[in-house]
Amino acid sequence: MKKLVTILAASAMLVSLAGCAGGLDASADGPKDPGDIVVGFAQVGAESGWRTANTKDIQDSFKEAGIELKFSDAQQKQENQIKAIRSYITQGVDVIAFSPVVETGWDAVLQEAKDADIPVVLTDRAVDSKDDSLYVSFLGSDFILEGEKAGEWLVEEYKDQTEPVKIIQLEGTTGAAPAIDRAEGFANVIAADPKFEVVASQTGDFTRAGGKQVTEALLKSNPDVDVIYSHNDDMGLGAIEAIEAAGLKPGKDIKIITVDAVKDGMQALADGKINFIVECSPLLGKQLIEIVEKVVAGEEVEKRIVADETTFTQEQAIEALPDRKY
Ligand code: GZL
Ligand code: ZN
């Protein structure tokens, strides 16, 4: 009897070893179970309502899928993101995903991930690397289109006005893809009519405090401004505080266009303090999981996956607010 038990135990050991060895070569025993996959995510920070909604959605999605997520918050510093990516490489995670705080300066660390055979997924923001073999997929919004949508609303809003329309632009983080591209898309559209003039443009770093400080300063030098175009809701909400502190009515004396459509922005839109919001969806968790599972199973993934999103007027915001997820 004793002999039989030892033989059984030994063979069970062998099977489990084979199983684990098989895990290294997915083809042997099919794709890894979600429970065996480990993903390292290097998040930008927690600078805005959009970012916190994006983090929550990613963490909830991974919990639901039963996939282990190692998560880091870089406080909007590129060197912290690079450090986090390096630590994921050392830990030998299956996939690395991150939202690059700025477009430049990633080639070296992405090459290190490639040399370590760890696929990288870009979420939300892009890198300017010429070598697109450094990442398997870029999942996120089309920020140029978002800027164009903002410009199109402005052109429509002022189609009957001939005298100049003076605009202050609140830029996102300097060097970040959404800041570069939202400025580009907006400029493309308003170039159609010389009455539109961006009298001042400055970064508020995507934060509410930044938007308030910059607007206070720019209103002093441009008291007769008509419109504020803000690259995200949070800076727009800061601008509202500055406009009210100057004794003016946001949404009336100065019209405001923002991007994101997070709850606080949508509430200000419903209250008439913002006039138009271009949505930028933070809900990338599900699509990121699909990419991770395909990559781990050795399947092809699309190089560029665009998040679907819309725009909101005041009426549409009032309609949408009750069941807004973020
Ligand atoms: C856009 C995202 C931007 C948001 C900001 O996808 O990168 O960063 O628009 C956030 O709110 O800070
Ligand atoms: Zn770009």
Side-chain angles (χ1 to χ4, degrees):
M1 184 55 186
K2 211 161 150 327
K3 208 156 171 303
L4 179 66
V5 169
T6 11
I7 293 169
L8 277 178
S11 54
M13 260 289 279
L14 270 176
V15 167
S16 69
L17 266 180
C20 128
L24 295 176
D25 155 23
S27 50
D29 56 3
K32 267 190 167 182
D33 303 324
D36 298 340
I37 300 173
V38 179
V39 173
F41 191 88
Q43 180 60 294
V44 168
E47 73 282 359
S48 66
W50 189 96
R51 188 64 55 196
T52 43
N54 177 244
T55 290
K56 183 176 177 328
D57 181 66
I58 287 171
Q59 289 176 330
D60 291 353
S61 301
F62 273 77
K63 210 187 291 125
E64 209 178 294
I67 295 178
E68 186 185 341
L69 181 73
K70 293 179 183 294
F71 182 88
S72 65
D73 170 332
Q75 285 96 39
Q76 290 186 281
K77 290 185 179 54
Q78 178 171 31
E79 65 268 19
N80 291 346
Q81 281 194 299
I82 291 174
K83 250 187 247 143
I85 292 170
R86 287 209 163 108
S87 83
Y88 296 145
I89 294 171
T90 312
Q91 295 172 63
V93 299
D94 296 294
V95 181
I96 291 170
F98 77 114
S99 169
V101 60
V102 293
E103 285 193 341
T104 54
W106 301 100
D107 287 13
V109 73
L110 291 179
Q111 188 58 51
E112 289 165 32
K114 188 177 174 187
D115 295 345
D117 246 348
I118 300 178
V120 174
V121 178
L122 301 181
T123 70
D124 169 28
R125 297 184 184 178
V127 297
D128 68 353
S129 306
K130 298 286 164 285
D131 174 6
D132 73 1
S133 74
L134 291 173
Y135 55 88
V136 288
S137 185
F138 166 34
L139 159 63
S141 304
D142 177 342
F143 301 130
I144 292 182
L145 179 60
E146 291 173 348
E148 291 172 344
K149 289 176 183 176
E152 280 150 17
W153 180 84
L154 199 64
V155 167
E156 180 57 27
E157 183 69 10
Y158 284 91
K159 64 177 184 299
D160 303 331
Q161 177 166 322
T162 47
E163 62 265 21
V165 178
K166 295 179 183 308
I167 303 157
I168 281 177
Q169 177 171 235
L170 301 178
E171 300 169 10
T173 302
T174 304
I180 296 167
D181 295 352
R182 285 172 186 163
E184 183 181 323
F186 183 73
N188 289 350
V189 171
I190 64 169
D193 188 330
K195 76 186 174 195
F196 294 113
E197 187 196 352
V198 177
V199 295
S201 185
Q202 202 175 321
T203 180
D205 209 19
F206 280 133
T207 65
R208 204 178 283 219
K212 183 176 180 191
Q213 277 150 22
V214 170
T215 303
E216 275 164 359
L218 295 182
L219 280 184
K220 288 196 179 74
S221 41
N222 304 277
D224 59 346
V225 71
D226 301 297
V227 177
I228 289 180
Y229 167 48
S230 173
H231 290 177
N232 81 334
D233 290 354
D234 292 67
M235 294 189 293
L237 292 163
I240 286 170
E241 291 175 38
I243 292 168
E244 289 175 333
L248 296 169
K249 279 198 175 3
K252 308 255 176 315
D253 301 329
I254 299 178
K255 294 207 184 321
I256 301 180
I257 308 166
T258 66
V259 184
D260 275 351
V262 295
K263 203 177 277 290
D264 290 349
M266 292 287 272
Q267 189 56 60
L269 177 55
D271 298 344
K273 294 187 175 183
I274 288 179
N275 301 86
F276 187 67
I277 300 187
V278 177
E279 184 183 39
C280 175
S281 174
L283 306 181
L284 304 176
K286 253 180 210 15
Q287 288 170 293
L288 176 55
I289 298 253
E290 282 160 18
I291 296 170
V292 164
E293 287 175 340
K294 280 186 177 173
V295 165
V296 168
E299 290 165 23
E300 274 298 296
V301 290
E302 287 165 75
K303 198 75 186 171
R304 178 76 178 94
I305 301 167
V306 182
D308 53 353
E309 51 205 33
T310 180
T311 58
F312 293 95
T313 60
Q314 181 179 22
E315 305 72 43
Q316 290 163 335
I318 292 167
E319 177 84 16
L321 253 177
D323 45 18
R324 195 93 186 128
K325 262 187 77 177
Y326 58 91

Coordinates of all heavy atoms in Angstrom, one line a residue, residues 46-92:
A46 N -2.7 61.1 -10.4 CA -4.1 61.2 -10.0 C -4.5 62.7 -10.2 O -5.1 63.3 -9.3 CB -4.3 60.8 -8.6
E47 N -4.0 63.3 -11.3 CA -4.1 64.7 -11.5 C -5.5 65.3 -11.8 O -5.8 66.4 -11.7 CB -3.1 65.1 -12.6 CG -3.6 64.7 -14.0 CD -3.4 63.3 -14.4 OE1 -2.8 62.5 -13.5 OE2 -3.8 62.9 -15.5
S48 N -6.4 64.4 -12.2 CA -7.7 64.9 -12.6 C -8.8 63.8 -12.4 O -8.5 62.6 -12.2 CB -7.7 65.2 -14.1 OG -7.5 64.0 -14.9
G49 N -10.0 64.3 -12.5 CA -11.2 63.4 -12.3 C -11.1 62.3 -13.4 O -11.4 61.1 -13.1
W50 N -10.6 62.6 -14.6 CA -10.5 61.6 -15.6 C -9.6 60.5 -15.2 O -9.8 59.4 -15.3 CB -10.0 62.3 -16.9 CG -10.1 61.4 -18.1 CD1 -11.0 61.4 -19.1 CD2 -9.1 60.4 -18.5 NE1 -10.8 60.4 -20.0 CE2 -9.6 59.8 -19.7 CE3 -7.9 60.0 -18.0 CZ2 -8.9 58.8 -20.3 CZ3 -7.2 58.9 -18.6 CH2 -7.7 58.4 -19.8
R51 N -8.4 61.0 -14.7 CA -7.4 60.0 -14.3 C -7.9 59.0 -13.2 O -7.6 57.8 -13.3 CB -6.1 60.7 -13.9 CG -4.9 59.8 -13.7 CD -4.4 59.2 -14.9 NE -4.2 60.1 -16.0 CZ -4.0 59.8 -17.2 NH1 -4.1 58.5 -17.6 NH2 -3.8 60.7 -18.2
T52 N -8.5 59.6 -12.2 CA -9.0 58.7 -11.1 C -10.1 57.7 -11.6 O -10.1 56.6 -11.3 CB -9.5 59.5 -9.9 OG1 -10.3 60.6 -10.4 CG2 -8.4 60.1 -9.1
A53 N -10.9 58.2 -12.6 CA -11.9 57.3 -13.1 C -11.3 56.2 -14.0 O -11.7 55.1 -14.0 CB -12.9 58.1 -14.0
N54 N -10.2 56.6 -14.7 CA -9.5 55.7 -15.5 C -8.8 54.6 -14.7 O -8.9 53.4 -14.9 CB -8.4 56.5 -16.3 CG -7.5 55.6 -17.2 OD1 -6.3 55.5 -16.9 ND2 -8.1 54.9 -18.2
T55 N -8.2 55.0 -13.6 CA -7.5 54.1 -12.6 C -8.6 53.1 -12.1 O -8.4 51.9 -12.1 CB -6.8 54.8 -11.5 OG1 -5.7 55.5 -12.1 CG2 -6.4 53.9 -10.4
K56 N -9.7 53.7 -11.6 CA -10.7 52.8 -11.0 C -11.2 51.8 -12.0 O -11.4 50.6 -11.7 CB -11.9 53.7 -10.5 CG -13.0 52.9 -9.7 CD -14.1 53.8 -9.2 CE -15.2 53.0 -8.5 NZ -15.5 51.7 -9.1
D57 N -11.5 52.2 -13.2 CA -12.0 51.3 -14.2 C -11.0 50.2 -14.5 O -11.4 49.0 -14.6 CB -12.3 52.1 -15.5 CG -12.9 51.2 -16.6 OD1 -14.0 50.7 -16.4 OD2 -12.2 51.0 -17.6
I58 N -9.8 50.5 -14.6 CA -8.7 49.5 -14.9 C -8.6 48.5 -13.7 O -8.7 47.3 -13.9 CB -7.4 50.2 -15.2 CG1 -7.5 50.8 -16.6 CG2 -6.2 49.2 -15.2 CD1 -6.3 51.7 -17.0
Q59 N -8.6 49.1 -12.5 CA -8.4 48.2 -11.3 C -9.7 47.3 -11.2 O -9.6 46.1 -11.0 CB -8.2 49.0 -10.1 CG -6.8 49.6 -10.0 CD -6.6 50.5 -8.9 OE1 -7.5 51.2 -8.3 NE2 -5.3 50.7 -8.4
D60 N -10.9 47.9 -11.4 CA -12.1 47.0 -11.3 C -12.1 46.0 -12.3 O -12.5 44.8 -12.1 CB -13.4 47.9 -11.4 CG -13.5 48.9 -10.2 OD1 -12.8 48.8 -9.3 OD2 -14.4 49.8 -10.3
S61 N -11.8 46.3 -13.6 CA -11.8 45.4 -14.7 C -10.9 44.2 -14.4 O -11.2 43.0 -14.7 CB -11.4 46.0 -16.0 OG -12.3 47.1 -16.3
F62 N -9.7 44.5 -13.9 CA -8.7 43.4 -13.7 C -9.2 42.5 -12.5 O -9.1 41.3 -12.6 CB -7.3 44.0 -13.4 CG -6.5 44.2 -14.7 CD1 -6.8 45.3 -15.4 CD2 -5.5 43.3 -15.1 CE1 -6.1 45.5 -16.6 CE2 -4.8 43.5 -16.2 CZ -5.1 44.6 -17.0
K63 N -9.8 43.1 -11.5 CA -10.3 42.3 -10.4 C -11.4 41.4 -10.9 O -11.4 40.2 -10.7 CB -10.9 43.3 -9.3 CG -10.8 42.7 -7.9 CD -11.5 43.5 -6.8 CE -10.9 44.8 -6.5 NZ -11.0 46.0 -6.4
E64 N -12.3 41.9 -11.7 CA -13.4 41.1 -12.3 C -12.9 40.0 -13.1 O -13.4 38.9 -13.1 CB -14.3 42.1 -13.1 CG -15.7 41.7 -13.2 CD -16.4 42.8 -14.1 OE1 -16.5 44.0 -13.6 OE2 -16.8 42.4 -15.2
A65 N -11.8 40.2 -13.9 CA -11.3 39.2 -14.8 C -10.4 38.2 -14.0 O -10.0 37.2 -14.6 CB -10.5 39.9 -15.9
G66 N -10.1 38.5 -12.7 CA -9.2 37.6 -12.0 C -7.8 37.6 -12.5 O -7.1 36.6 -12.4
I67 N -7.4 38.8 -13.0 CA -6.0 38.9 -13.5 C -5.2 39.8 -12.6 O -5.7 40.9 -12.2 CB -5.9 39.5 -14.9 CG1 -6.6 38.5 -15.9 CG2 -4.5 39.8 -15.4 CD1 -6.7 39.0 -17.3
E68 N -4.0 39.3 -12.1 CA -3.2 40.1 -11.2 C -2.7 41.4 -11.8 O -2.1 41.4 -12.9 CB -2.0 39.3 -10.6 CG -1.3 40.0 -9.5 CD 0.0 39.3 -9.1 OE1 0.1 38.1 -9.3 OE2 0.8 40.0 -8.5
L69 N -2.9 42.6 -11.1 CA -2.5 43.9 -11.6 C -1.5 44.5 -10.6 O -1.9 44.7 -9.5 CB -3.7 44.8 -11.8 CG -3.4 46.2 -12.4 CD1 -3.0 46.1 -13.9 CD2 -4.6 47.1 -12.2
K70 N -0.3 44.7 -11.1 CA 0.7 45.5 -10.3 C 0.5 46.9 -10.8 O 0.5 47.1 -12.0 CB 2.1 45.0 -10.5 CG 2.3 43.6 -10.0 CD 3.8 43.1 -10.3 CE 4.0 41.7 -9.8 NZ 3.9 41.5 -8.3
F71 N 0.3 47.8 -9.8 CA -0.1 49.2 -10.2 C 0.8 50.2 -9.6 O 1.2 50.1 -8.4 CB -1.6 49.5 -9.7 CG -2.1 50.8 -10.1 CD1 -2.7 51.0 -11.4 CD2 -2.0 51.9 -9.3 CE1 -3.2 52.2 -11.7 CE2 -2.4 53.2 -9.7 CZ -3.0 53.3 -10.9
S72 N 1.2 51.3 -10.3 CA 2.0 52.3 -9.8 C 1.5 53.7 -10.2 O 1.0 53.8 -11.3 CB 3.5 52.2 -10.2 OG 3.6 52.4 -11.6
D73 N 1.6 54.7 -9.4 CA 1.2 56.1 -9.7 C 2.4 56.9 -9.7 O 3.2 57.1 -8.7 CB 0.3 56.5 -8.5 CG -0.1 58.0 -8.6 OD1 0.7 58.8 -9.1 OD2 -1.2 58.4 -8.1
A74 N 2.7 57.5 -10.9 CA 4.0 58.2 -11.1 C 4.0 59.7 -10.7 O 4.9 60.5 -10.9 CB 4.4 58.1 -12.5
Q75 N 2.9 60.2 -10.1 CA 2.7 61.6 -9.7 C 3.1 62.5 -10.9 O 3.8 63.5 -10.7 CB 3.5 62.0 -8.5 CG 3.0 61.5 -7.2 CD 3.6 60.2 -6.8 OE1 4.8 60.0 -6.9 NE2 2.8 59.3 -6.2
Q76 N 2.7 62.1 -12.1 CA 3.0 62.9 -13.3 C 4.5 63.1 -13.6 O 4.8 64.1 -14.3 CB 2.3 64.3 -13.2 CG 0.8 64.2 -13.3 CD 0.1 65.6 -13.4 OE1 0.0 66.2 -12.4 NE2 -0.2 66.0 -14.6
K77 N 5.3 62.2 -13.1 CA 6.8 62.3 -13.4 C 7.2 61.2 -14.3 O 7.1 60.0 -13.9 CB 7.6 62.4 -12.1 CG 7.4 63.7 -11.3 CD 8.3 63.7 -10.1 CE 8.1 65.0 -9.3 NZ 6.7 65.2 -9.0
Q78 N 7.8 61.5 -15.4 CA 8.3 60.5 -16.4 C 9.3 59.5 -15.7 O 9.2 58.3 -15.9 CB 8.9 61.1 -17.6 CG 9.4 60.1 -18.6 CD 9.7 60.7 -19.9 OE1 10.2 61.8 -20.0 NE2 9.5 59.9 -21.0
E79 N 10.2 60.1 -14.9 CA 11.2 59.2 -14.4 C 10.6 58.2 -13.4 O 11.1 57.0 -13.4 CB 12.3 60.0 -13.6 CG 11.9 60.7 -12.4 CD 11.5 62.2 -12.7 OE1 11.2 62.5 -13.8 OE2 11.5 63.0 -11.7
N80 N 9.5 58.5 -12.8 CA 8.8 57.5 -11.9 C 8.2 56.4 -12.8 O 8.2 55.2 -12.4 CB 7.8 58.1 -11.1 CG 8.4 59.0 -10.0 OD1 9.6 59.0 -9.8 ND2 7.5 59.9 -9.4
Q81 N 7.6 56.8 -13.9 CA 7.0 55.8 -14.8 C 8.1 54.8 -15.3 O 7.9 53.6 -15.4 CB 6.3 56.4 -16.0 CG 4.9 57.0 -15.6 CD 4.1 57.3 -16.8 OE1 4.5 58.2 -17.6 NE2 2.9 56.7 -17.0
I82 N 9.2 55.4 -15.7 CA 10.3 54.6 -16.3 C 10.8 53.6 -15.2 O 11.0 52.4 -15.4 CB 11.5 55.5 -16.8 CG1 11.0 56.2 -18.1 CG2 12.7 54.7 -17.1 CD1 12.0 57.2 -18.6
K83 N 10.9 54.1 -13.9 CA 11.3 53.2 -12.8 C 10.4 52.1 -12.6 O 10.7 50.9 -12.5 CB 11.4 54.1 -11.5 CG 12.8 54.4 -11.0 CD 12.8 55.0 -9.6 CE 13.3 56.4 -9.7 NZ 12.6 57.4 -8.9
A84 N 9.1 52.4 -12.7 CA 8.0 51.4 -12.5 C 8.1 50.3 -13.6 O 8.1 49.1 -13.4 CB 6.7 52.0 -12.5
I85 N 8.3 50.8 -14.9 CA 8.4 49.9 -16.0 C 9.6 49.0 -15.8 O 9.6 47.7 -16.0 CB 8.5 50.6 -17.3 CG1 7.2 51.3 -17.6 CG2 8.9 49.7 -18.5 CD1 7.2 52.3 -18.8
R86 N 10.7 49.5 -15.4 CA 11.9 48.7 -15.1 C 11.7 47.7 -14.0 O 12.1 46.5 -14.1 CB 13.1 49.6 -14.7 CG 13.7 50.4 -15.9 CD 15.1 50.8 -15.8 NE 15.6 51.2 -17.1 CZ 15.9 52.5 -17.5 NH1 15.9 53.4 -16.5 NH2 16.3 52.8 -18.7
S87 N 10.9 48.1 -13.0 CA 10.7 47.1 -11.9 C 9.8 46.0 -12.4 O 10.0 44.8 -12.1 CB 10.0 47.8 -10.7 OG 8.7 47.9 -10.9
Y88 N 8.8 46.3 -13.3 CA 8.0 45.2 -13.9 C 8.8 44.3 -14.8 O 8.6 43.1 -14.8 CB 6.9 45.8 -14.7 CG 5.9 46.7 -13.9 CD1 5.3 47.8 -14.5 CD2 5.6 46.4 -12.6 CE1 4.4 48.6 -13.8 CE2 4.7 47.1 -11.9 CZ 4.1 48.3 -12.5 OH 3.2 49.0 -11.8
I89 N 9.8 44.8 -15.5 CA 10.7 44.0 -16.3 C 11.5 43.0 -15.4 O 11.5 41.8 -15.6 CB 11.7 44.9 -17.1 CG1 10.9 45.7 -18.2 CG2 12.8 44.0 -17.8 CD1 11.8 46.7 -18.9
T90 N 12.0 43.6 -14.2 CA 12.8 42.8 -13.3 C 11.9 41.7 -12.7 O 12.3 40.5 -12.6 CB 13.3 43.6 -12.1 OG1 13.9 44.8 -12.7 CG2 14.3 42.9 -11.3
Q91 N 10.6 42.0 -12.4 CA 9.7 41.0 -11.9 C 9.2 40.0 -12.9 O 8.6 39.0 -12.6 CB 8.5 41.7 -11.2 CG 8.8 42.6 -10.0 CD 7.6 43.4 -9.6 OE1 6.6 42.9 -9.2 NE2 7.7 44.7 -9.7
G92 N 9.5 40.3 -14.2 CA 9.1 39.3 -15.2 C 7.6 39.2 -15.4 O 7.1 38.1 -15.6

